[in-house]
Amino acid sequence: MLVKKSRFSVGLEIRCRFHWLKGIIMNDLWKNIRGLAVISGAALLAACGGGGSSGGGSAASDLTLDNDNLAEQTVEVAPGSDVRGILGLQDDIGTGQALILEVMGSLEPQRTGSSDTISCEQGGTATVTDESAGDRIDEKWLLQNCAINTQVLGSVILSGDYRFVASFSGDQEADSALEGFEAYDIEGIQLSESEQINLRGRADFDYSRTGSSTSLIDTISVFEFKVGDLYVAITDAETRLEGNELTLDFTTKGTLIGSAIGGFIQLSTPQVVKIDSGEVCPASGILRIASIGVVEILFGTSTERDDDAVQIRVDGEVVDSTLDCGAIGFIPQV
């Protein structure tokens, strides 16, 4: 059963732990791409602007903030493209995800009851409605011109709805399961730049632990984040981390859309990326990035030469490789 804490405190810990773990994996994937680009002396990924209609496969009908129709614009993925836009896209996603965690974390200590109206630090209010019961957390937050200083965007004023739901089963010290979702529909202003902020979407999570084995699944149908002219979105995405103290399997799929690249890319793992405990580089697996053209990053035994730790393959042709992942860094022990 749950330890005696406020339900939202438990929920906040869960969200922070989940996003931290996911952030380690995704951030190091992009660091790996950056390292390979530097080693090869040529950037290999997309960022030189839209390349025309996608011809299908986008999720534009589910997006409400994509005023420039970026979900319909392919981008070039080929040798000679600039990697910085791709890395900027991932940074933008992280900013959007961090904003709501920081705001909720700041407001939680001021709660005096299960349902409450809180005065935000620089004006406005946040009203929480707690419909939790037993081992199920269900909290709805209404921000009304809530002015707060954040690390990610400075001083902001936010209005709108946020909901966090999580259901527990089992024992925290043994076999257990946790599933739920967070949903947000928030708008506001970044005061330093007088820029409009919009954040909307839903993320579902499913975590389980049985003996020494754990599984974490993150599913996002639509996530959109917009600050002024900056726009980023994720659609039809699923990330899985499954394993034990000896090995971890990582898979991902989804479409990333953003102003940083002027269009969209599709991310997938056609082969599971396997990470062994204590190893710097994955033992095997393939990470694929596609739009106009396809870049694949091959690891370990999935490479075309036995002595390579990593290879980059563009449209089926190996264009670069390295014998040692240590110079790049990848996924730390988690």
Side-chain angles (χ1 to χ4, degrees):
M1 298 293 291
L2 292 177
V3 295
K4 276 288 185 181
K5 294 182 180 181
S6 90
R7 286 190 177 92
F8 186 73
S9 292
V10 175
L12 187 64
E13 289 176 9
I14 291 163
R15 284 201 309 281
C16 287
R17 175 69 180 175
F18 168 73
H19 285 293
W20 172 79
L21 178 60
K22 181 182 172 186
I24 284 176
I25 300 299
M26 294 308 296
N27 288 340
D28 281 321
L29 280 170
W30 296 120
K31 287 177 183 176
N32 185 53
I33 293 168
R34 180 190 281 115
L36 285 171
V38 170
I39 287 173
S40 68
L44 297 169
L45 300 180
C48 39
S53 174
S54 68
S58 70
S61 60
D62 297 321
L63 301 174
T64 63
L65 305 177
D66 184 14
N67 298 330
D68 294 325
N69 296 317
L70 296 173
E72 298 290 349
Q73 302 298 317
T74 51
V75 294
E76 183 183 7
V77 180
S81 299
D82 183 0
V83 73
R84 288 171 296 178
I86 258 309
L87 300 170
L89 184 64
Q90 182 63 23
D91 291 342
D92 296 341
I93 291 170
T95 299
Q97 292 174 334
L99 177 63
I100 192 64
L101 283 175
E102 188 175 354
V103 171
M104 295 298 107
S106 175
L107 295 173
E108 163 59 18
Q110 302 179 57
R111 288 180 58 181
T112 58
S114 59
S115 296
D116 201 1
T117 296
I118 301 165
S119 295
C120 299
E121 62 184 36
Q122 297 176 353
T125 62
T127 300
V128 58
T129 302
D130 188 351
E131 298 180 355
S132 304
D135 285 345
R136 184 176 188 271
I137 296 172
D138 188 348
E139 296 204 354
K140 301 174 183 177
W141 288 74
L142 174 63
L143 305 179
Q144 295 178 299
N145 294 316
C146 179
I148 190 168
N149 186 52
T150 69
Q151 293 185 0
V152 293
L153 289 180
S155 293
V156 298
I157 299 176
L158 301 175
S159 296
D161 300 304
Y162 172 75
R163 185 182 182 191
F164 179 72
V165 175
S167 296
F168 300 83
S169 62
D171 190 319
Q172 284 190 328
E173 301 303 322
D175 295 352
S176 59
L178 167 69
E179 62 179 352
F181 67 88
E182 53 183 343
Y184 24 88
D185 188 1
I186 295 171
E187 63 182 16
I189 296 291
Q190 182 186 21
L191 294 178
S192 62
E193 305 294 334
S194 297
E195 297 281 17
Q196 183 74 27
I197 300 170
N198 294 93
L199 180 67
R200 64 173 294 271
R202 170 171 167 154
D204 290 74
F205 55 87
D206 187 340
Y207 170 84
S208 63
R209 180 177 60 196
T210 304
S212 62
S213 298
T214 60
S215 172
L216 176 62
I217 304 171
D218 175 37
T219 305
I220 298 176
S221 55
V222 175
F223 169 95
E224 291 184 280
F225 177 55
K226 187 175 177 67
V227 182
D229 293 331
L230 181 152
Y231 173 78
V232 66
I234 313 172
T235 65
D236 301 321
E238 179 183 272
T239 299
R240 289 177 174 260
L241 301 170
E242 299 172 303
N244 52 42
E245 67 272 13
L246 298 178
T247 186
L248 178 70
D249 289 353
F250 167 81
T251 59
T252 191
K253 64 179 180 179
T255 301
L256 306 183
I257 306 152
S259 54
I261 59 172
F264 76 88
I265 60 169
Q266 293 174 327
L267 186 68
S268 64
T269 43
Q271 287 186 20
V272 175
V273 178
K274 291 185 174 291
I275 307 106
D276 292 335
S277 177
E279 296 297 325
V280 174
C281 190
S284 62
I286 300 175
L287 173 67
R288 175 181 290 166
I289 302 160
S291 193
I292 300 177
V294 175
V295 166
E296 292 179 318
I297 303 177
L298 296 79
F299 301 103
T301 58
S302 297
T303 63
E304 297 181 11
R305 291 191 294 265
D306 292 340
D307 55 349
D308 281 339
V310 180
Q311 292 177 345
I312 294 181
R313 189 164 61 191
V314 177
D315 293 333
E317 179 182 354
V318 175
V319 297
D320 198 13
S321 64
T322 177
L323 304 179
D324 180 13
C325 248
I328 303 166
F330 191 71
I331 299 173
Q333 181 69 23
V334 294

